[in-house]
Amino acid sequence: MALLYRGKEIFKPLNTGRIDDHVSCVREFIANIFFYTKGDTTLMIDAGYNYPRLKEKMGWLDIDPVKIKHILITHQDTDHVGAVETDSDGLFRTAKLYIGAVENRYLTGEVRRKVIFGLYKLPMVKTDNERVLLKDGQVLDIEGIKVECFLVPGHTWGHLVYLIDDCYLFTGDTLWFGPDGGKSIINMLAEDNKLAVRSLAALEEKLRSRRLRPIIITGHTGWMDDLDFAFAHTDQVCNSWFKQKPHDPAAPYDGYDESDDTEERARNILLPRQNTKLGM
């Protein structure tokens, strides 16, 4: 995977650190997992790989894995659920997982996850954590935190995005940010690229119709607080076969190189929004 994506400017994860007083993240190779803190409660959004440095990097943010009781899962790919799989390090064995009822069918074996245009089946994900199954449009109150779920099928059949306190939208693998705006993420990893594009357009319409302008946070390409930028190319899909255009000078040559992800930076530098040619 590292060799396949090197130099293509596809994966642009945030380093470990804080976006603001509520949202922080850990970098795991090419992916981010996020934490939303309000009062004494911290929600975890996605569980990343079974990443050997997760506890260490959570320490940089002063977050104790033992205190994580609620994990919102956008979808079941291993870079989003690895830390809660049965063969993981077990940091979150007592945490409750929130996952879409449709997405849960992968975990029960009713449906197999397919990639590379349906040509390859991924191994079944197994977890022993308690699960709460969610529906499209469902609104939760988790210890005083409002969580709203939107179904956005395409990348996977049951992919959810989470709107938290009407201010932060965690999009998992629904959106990909390039220097000139957002589009659907990575063609060869989607169950259905056409459906993913339609879902993205529907998500934009939902936000605009309710006059919501949340900070939009992606799983692999950072965050943005401009709706026009985030949904600039809802009819397009990131093509993983080629180097991305337009060129993004801020994109790392090797997304797997974590040498600039340090505790000093995590503690002292707020994470910037996605770099763009538009000067945002």
Side-chain angles (χ1 to χ4, degrees), residues 201-214 226-232 234:
L203 177 62
E204 178 187 11
E205 173 58 27
K206 193 169 294 185
L207 296 175
R208 292 190 184 277
S209 67
R210 292 173 52 182
R211 298 184 179 180
L212 294 168
R213 303 193 70 85
D226 183 278
L227 219 61
D228 294 333
F229 174 89
F231 295 99
T234 55

Side-chain angles (χ1 to χ4, degrees), residues 81 83-86 97 104 107 125-131:
V81 298
V84 293
E85 292 189 55
T86 53
L97 305 185
N104 188 58
L107 304 185
V125 168
K126 297 179 181 179
T127 177
D128 295 327
N129 290 66
E130 178 185 353
R131 297 176 217 163

Side-chain angles (χ1 to χ4, degrees), residues 232-275:
H233 306 290
T234 55
D235 60 336
Q236 297 179 27
V237 179
C238 172
N239 188 336
S240 59
W241 296 113
F242 303 102
K243 183 176 180 177
Q244 299 306 294
K245 294 181 180 180
H247 166 61
D248 186 349
Y253 175 75
D254 184 351
Y256 290 82
D257 179 3
E258 298 180 304
S259 59
D260 62 344
D261 192 27
T262 66
E263 181 174 4
E264 181 180 4
R265 292 170 65 92
R267 290 188 177 277
N268 296 294
I269 302 175
L270 288 178
L271 298 168
R273 64 175 59 83
Q274 160 69 25
N275 289 313

Side-chain angles (χ1 to χ4, degrees), residues 181-223:
K183 61 181 70 171
S184 185
I185 193 169
I186 309 184
N187 56 343
M188 74 174 183
L189 298 182
E191 296 277 11
D192 186 326
N193 283 294
K194 291 182 179 179
L195 178 59
V197 166
R198 293 197 300 271
S199 292
L200 194 55
L203 177 62
E204 178 187 11
E205 173 58 27
K206 193 169 294 185
L207 296 175
R208 292 190 184 277
S209 67
R210 292 173 52 182
R211 298 184 179 180
L212 294 168
R213 303 193 70 85
I215 291 175
I216 297 173
I217 303 167
T218 73
H220 298 278
T221 58
W223 67 276

Side-chain angles (χ1 to χ4, degrees), residues 19-211:
I19 291 175
D20 59 20
D21 290 339
H22 289 293
V23 180
S24 55
C25 74
V26 164
R27 178 178 177 181
E28 298 186 342
F29 305 123
I30 58 170
N32 286 119
I33 61 173
F34 294 95
F35 303 90
Y36 180 82
T37 300
K38 184 179 180 182
D40 295 328
T41 301
T42 295
L43 306 183
M44 186 172 176
I45 298 92
D46 282 333
Y49 296 96
N50 182 22
Y51 180 68
R53 299 183 64 194
L54 178 53
K55 185 176 181 179
E56 172 197 349
K57 289 188 178 182
M58 287 179 68
W60 299 355
L61 304 169
D62 299 316
I63 299 174
D64 185 351
V66 174
K67 295 183 178 180
I68 299 296
K69 303 301 181 185
H70 309 279
I71 305 177
L72 307 177
I73 302 296
T74 60
H75 65 294
Q76 65 90 66
D77 287 350
T78 194
D79 57 331
H80 294 259
V81 298
V84 293
E85 292 189 55
T86 53
D87 60 352
S88 71
D89 292 337
L91 292 177
F92 311 104
R93 293 206 187 281
T94 62
K96 187 181 297 183
L97 305 185
Y98 299 77
I99 189 169
V102 176
E103 193 73 6
N104 188 58
R105 298 177 70 222
Y106 289 113
L107 304 185
T108 62
E110 297 172 71
V111 177
R112 288 290 300 275
R113 174 74 166 107
K114 297 179 182 178
V115 295
I116 314 178
F117 310 104
L119 298 176
Y120 182 71
K121 291 182 180 179
L122 295 180
M124 181 178 165
V125 168
K126 297 179 181 179
T127 177
D128 295 327
N129 290 66
E130 178 185 353
R131 297 176 217 163
V132 177
L133 304 187
L134 306 173
K135 301 181 298 183
D136 181 32
Q138 188 169 347
V139 180
L140 307 171
D141 184 318
I142 304 177
E143 299 188 27
I145 299 173
K146 178 184 177 184
V147 178
E148 189 169 0
C149 318
F150 300 138
L151 180 65
V152 282
H155 183 73
T156 63
W157 296 122
H159 194 301
L160 291 180
V161 301
Y162 295 101
L163 179 66
I164 297 186
D165 284 337
D166 292 328
C167 294
Y168 301 89
L169 184 70
F170 294 89
T171 64
D173 285 2
T174 298
L175 261 174
W176 177 90
F177 287 158
D180 62 342
K183 61 181 70 171
S184 185
I185 193 169
I186 309 184
N187 56 343
M188 74 174 183
L189 298 182
E191 296 277 11
D192 186 326
N193 283 294
K194 291 182 179 179
L195 178 59
V197 166
R198 293 197 300 271
S199 292
L200 194 55
L203 177 62
E204 178 187 11
E205 173 58 27
K206 193 169 294 185
L207 296 175
R208 292 190 184 277
S209 67
R210 292 173 52 182
R211 298 184 179 180

